[in-house]
Amino acid sequence: MSPAAGAAVPVDDEALASRLRDLALVELDALVAGGSAALVAAYADDVADALREARVRIAVLRGALGGADPLALVELPPRQRASDAGIAGVERARARLVAQAEAARALAGLAELAAALAPRLFEADRRR
């Protein structure tokens, strides 16, 4: 669980991305040509595990994109936006927009890598 209530657990998206990229580099034909069904099975299991991990992380990132609209403050009257509360609100909105942008970039990268790797799982399963 998390170290403290509300504390975010750091996630190394780059390590997951590297794992997905590395698995995509494996030449399945070379594994099959080697005649080792065990290697093909191990590769398929590793790909499935990496895709499961990516699935969980993508779901978390999708959740970070939800919630209240941070730009709803645009609908406030100018006097309210100019108040001290409005200034604090714009800082929260800015932070939320930056967090959403970071989550969207991470989600896009992982989704693209997973999309490239998913067909390899099916191919490896056919060759087991």
Side-chain angles (χ1 to χ4, degrees):
M1 287 292 177
S2 63
V9 176
V11 175
D12 189 357
D13 287 332
E14 190 51 44
L16 176 55
S18 291
R19 182 177 179 201
L20 295 169
R21 276 191 294 273
D22 289 349
L23 286 166
L25 292 174
V26 172
E27 289 294 330
L28 192 54
D29 288 337
L31 294 178
V32 171
S36 176
L39 277 178
V40 174
Y43 173 73
D45 291 344
D46 199 15
V47 169
D49 183 62
L51 289 173
R52 276 188 213 95
E53 188 178 340
R55 179 182 182 205
V56 168
R57 183 63 183 142
I58 287 170
V60 168
L61 291 167
R62 250 192 236 120
L65 297 176
D69 177 7
L71 289 177
L73 57 87
V74 171
E75 302 303 325
L76 296 174
R79 180 180 294 266
Q80 195 172 357
R81 286 194 307 258
S83 71
D84 288 343
I87 293 169
V90 78
E91 184 52 37
R92 284 190 306 274
R94 186 198 69 73
R96 179 77 175 124
L97 287 166
V98 168
Q100 284 181 336
E102 290 170 357
R105 281 190 292 274
L107 188 152
L110 291 175
E112 186 174 12
L113 290 168
L117 190 57
R120 293 175 156 272
L121 173 61
F122 289 86
E123 182 62 27
D125 282 340
R126 279 193 295 273
R127 295 182 181 209
R128 276 186 195 236

